[in-house]
Amino acid sequence: KLDKNGTATVNFPLNDSLTKFRIAAVASAGPQKFGTGHGTIQSSKDLMVFSGLTSFAREGDQTNAPYTFRNTTKKSMRVTTSLRIDGLEAVPEQKTFDLGAGKSHDIKWQFTIPIDQEKLVYRLDSAINGKLADRLITKQIVKPAVAVRTLQGAFSQITEPFSLAIARPATALPGRGGIKLTY
């Protein structure tokens, strides 16, 4: 309902998208009294964080896990950020920096992509003056640096005791490959 000045206040939830929304209103008070109006709003956070991670990496790659931090306010802020990576034993160091009004800053964490992981989950928490301001979770697929492949195969019809000498190739990667026997 409108107040005595002909205005109304409406509350409604928005999703978490950081984007522009177009809002439209239709008013009606009978067949002769109607009207429309519209406007746009832009949802934003004081601190916005963007990941520069690739969607996949290979085991043993050296990576720098890049992130960009953007201050959308008109005042400086002190940012503390920490990164945890599910699938990585080492915990990257926490970083603190000052971020000027309207400025952006790049941070990188360097490490080696571990072996025997199918994916890494990066969890970045960023706080302004100790209060959580943004949380970003990113997934990265990990592929083997060297694909497992068949080097030798043998078919035998076994009618009596049979033996076959086998050994891993000297250049085989530890913990990779194996023997598959079907019958």
Side-chain angles (χ1 to χ4, degrees):
K1 293 198 173 198
L2 301 179
D3 64 15
K4 63 182 177 184
N5 298 322
T7 61
T9 301
V10 179
N11 293 316
F12 53 90
L14 293 176
N15 62 29
D16 284 344
S17 297
L18 298 175
T19 187
K20 195 179 277 189
F21 293 92
R22 183 173 192 267
I23 300 169
V26 177
S28 173
Q32 302 300 320
K33 297 179 182 179
F34 62 90
T36 63
H38 63 84
T40 58
I41 61 171
Q42 175 110 20
S43 62
S44 181
K45 290 183 170 187
D46 291 348
L47 176 67
M48 294 176 61
V49 182
F50 304 93
S51 168
L53 291 167
T54 59
S55 58
F56 82 94
R58 294 196 196 294
E59 297 174 331
D61 282 356
Q62 298 293 317
T63 189
N64 60 13
Y67 289 87
T68 299
F69 298 80
R70 187 169 297 149
N71 180 349
T72 64
T73 71
K74 295 182 178 183
K75 49 186 180 169
S76 292
M77 59 177 65
R78 185 143 185 90
V79 178
T80 301
T81 187
S82 59
L83 178 65
R84 290 180 331 213
I85 305 170
D86 297 353
L88 184 68
E89 288 183 26
V91 178
E93 68 182 85
Q94 178 175 299
K95 299 187 180 206
T96 302
F97 57 95
D98 292 316
L99 188 55
K103 301 288 182 184
S104 64
H105 183 70
D106 293 332
I107 295 283
K108 298 175 182 177
W109 283 272
Q110 294 186 329
F111 64 94
T112 302
I113 301 292
I115 294 175
D116 292 330
Q117 294 291 325
E118 291 183 8
K119 73 177 178 180
L120 297 176
V121 179
Y122 296 75
R123 300 174 192 279
L124 182 82
D125 285 347
S126 300
I128 303 170
N129 300 324
K131 184 179 176 189
L132 182 64
D134 201 1
R135 173 173 287 150
L136 183 62
I137 299 174
T138 311
K139 295 178 183 174
Q140 185 178 53
I141 296 168
V142 177
K143 297 287 187 182
V146 178
V148 175
R149 58 194 172 100
T150 301
L151 294 180
Q152 181 178 343
F155 293 94
S156 296
Q157 184 172 359
I158 302 172
T159 58
E160 54 189 64
F162 174 81
S163 68
L164 177 66
I166 56 174
R168 295 177 61 86
T171 58
L173 297 174
R176 297 294 170 99
I179 299 168
K180 182 176 180 182
L181 177 65
T182 57
Y183 55 95

